[in-house]
């Protein structure tokens, strides 16, 4: 969906807007963020992919991801470049496309440990802020509205119950994956605990965020709600 009928004032306002989209794994952040960005002609930044790319580099270099000092020492070296097109997001590591590798089980198992290292967060946070620039972007992650862009004009925290999140994650897996929803749910809850209790930039809901429970909402309804919230925030409207 692309909202075409917007007045010029609204289009200009959208060119500088920053939407911070936070929430736990499986809450629908990626699909909703891409849908919103596509609908309003905004850029899109998946900060989670950046942490996954950093994690993949650690694994390639044989770094023990539980050794925070070793992870911190390497944190400045990887060249991580995320694409910002919502219809075709990309992620490269040292010039190589790693979109498939960063979604592997090994990265999923290690990313929480790597992303908890303060130096990693500092390095990637600086990159993320540079990419946000003057705005016109939807940024998704776990600490966007609280740490990365606390001045974002619109902050949204997407939530969903753990069973719904597990169903979504299971559906995303390859057809030959034998894991069931219960094991996926257990893994999600474990990551929730880890990410929300880490010392560096924990997963949390900004005090001024709009909380949207997506448990029983189809993606189209979530995107429609986000479009309305964004237009309301910039004082914009559709041209009738």
């Amino acid at each position: 969906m692309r909202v075409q009928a917007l007045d010029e004032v609204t289009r200009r306002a959208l060119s500088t807007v920053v939407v911070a989209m936070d929430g736990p794994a499986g809450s629908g952040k990626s699909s909703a963020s891409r849908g919103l960005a596509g609908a309003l002609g905004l850029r899109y930044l998946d900060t989670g992919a950046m942490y996954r790319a950093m994690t993949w580099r650690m694994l390639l270099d044989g770094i023990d991801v539980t050794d925070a000092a070793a992870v911190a020492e390497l944190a400045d070296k990887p060249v991580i470049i995320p694409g910002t097109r919502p219809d075709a997001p990309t992620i490269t590591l040292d010039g190589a496309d790693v979109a498939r590798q960063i979604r592997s089980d090994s990265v999923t198992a290690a990313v929480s440990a790597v992303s908890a290292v303060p130096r990693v967060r500092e390095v990637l946070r600086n990159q993320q802020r540079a990419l946000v620039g003057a705005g016109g972007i939807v940024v998704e992650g776990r600490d966007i509205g609280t740490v990365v862009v606390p001045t974002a004009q619109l902050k949204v925290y997407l939530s969903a119950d753990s069973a719904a999140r597990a169903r979504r994650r299971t559906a995303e897996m390859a057809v030959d994956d034998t894991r069931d929803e219960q094991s996926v749910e257990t893994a999600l809850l474990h990551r929730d605990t880890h990410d929300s209790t880490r010392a560096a930039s924990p997963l949390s809901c900004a005090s001024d965020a709009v909380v949207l429970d997506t448990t029983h909402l189809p993606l189209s309804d979530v995107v429609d709600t986000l479009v309305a919230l964004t237009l309301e925030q910039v004082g914009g409207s559709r041209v009738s």
Side-chain angles (χ1 to χ4, degrees), residues 99-112:
R100 179 181 58 82
Q101 292 90 330
I102 67 170
R103 302 299 172 182
S104 65
D105 288 347
S106 58
V107 170
T108 297
V111 66
S112 286

Side-chain angles (χ1 to χ4, degrees), residues 171-227:
E172 293 171 356
M173 293 175 180
V175 293
D176 60 349
D177 198 305
T178 58
R179 291 171 295 185
D180 58 19
E181 289 182 12
Q182 184 59 56
S183 63
V184 172
E185 183 175 3
T186 299
L188 286 175
L189 291 172
H190 176 75
R191 185 171 183 190
D192 288 350
T193 299
H194 190 286
D195 290 352
S196 61
T197 58
R198 68 185 177 219
S201 304
L203 164 66
S204 62
C205 178
S207 60
D208 54 347
V210 176
V211 179
L212 182 58
D213 188 331
T214 67
T215 302
H216 303 295
L217 293 177
L219 177 60
S220 58
D221 286 358
V222 174
V223 173
D224 284 346
T225 298
L226 294 173
V227 167

Side-chain angles (χ1 to χ4, degrees), residues 34-105:
R34 291 173 63 184
L36 171 62
L40 293 179
L42 303 174
R43 295 179 297 135
Y44 160 74
L45 178 59
D46 178 0
T47 64
M50 298 176 72
Y51 284 101
R52 284 177 170 271
M54 179 72 77
T55 301
W56 180 238
R57 174 64 189 274
M58 298 296 167
L59 296 176
L60 287 176
D61 284 19
I63 302 298
D64 178 358
V65 298
T66 65
D67 184 342
V71 171
E73 185 176 355
L74 183 63
D76 291 276
K77 296 180 180 178
V79 178
I80 297 169
I81 301 178
T84 57
R85 285 182 51 183
D87 59 333
T90 58
I91 184 80
T92 64
L93 171 64
D94 300 327
D97 178 1
V98 292
R100 179 181 58 82
Q101 292 90 330
I102 67 170
R103 302 299 172 182
S104 65
D105 288 347

Side-chain angles (χ1 to χ4, degrees), residues 7-56:
D7 59 50
E8 187 57 33
V9 172
T10 300
R11 292 188 183 280
R12 286 199 298 270
L14 287 173
S15 70
T16 61
V17 76
V18 178
V19 179
M21 194 84 65
D22 291 306
S27 58
K29 293 192 307 296
S30 294
S31 297
S33 296
R34 291 173 63 184
L36 171 62
L40 293 179
L42 303 174
R43 295 179 297 135
Y44 160 74
L45 178 59
D46 178 0
T47 64
M50 298 176 72
Y51 284 101
R52 284 177 170 271
M54 179 72 77
T55 301
W56 180 238

Side-chain angles (χ1 to χ4, degrees), residues 68-157:
V71 171
E73 185 176 355
L74 183 63
D76 291 276
K77 296 180 180 178
V79 178
I80 297 169
I81 301 178
T84 57
R85 285 182 51 183
D87 59 333
T90 58
I91 184 80
T92 64
L93 171 64
D94 300 327
D97 178 1
V98 292
R100 179 181 58 82
Q101 292 90 330
I102 67 170
R103 302 299 172 182
S104 65
D105 288 347
S106 58
V107 170
T108 297
V111 66
S112 286
V114 172
S115 60
V117 175
R119 182 56 184 162
V120 168
R121 301 206 73 82
E122 180 183 10
V123 168
L124 293 185
R125 181 173 64 244
N126 290 339
Q127 294 179 22
Q128 290 155 12
R129 286 174 175 169
L131 287 163
V132 169
I137 193 168
V138 180
V139 189
E140 66 146 306
R142 285 168 168 72
D143 64 343
I144 308 307
T146 55
V147 177
V148 179
V149 196
T151 57
Q153 292 93 324
L154 176 61
K155 302 175 187 178
V156 180
Y157 188 90

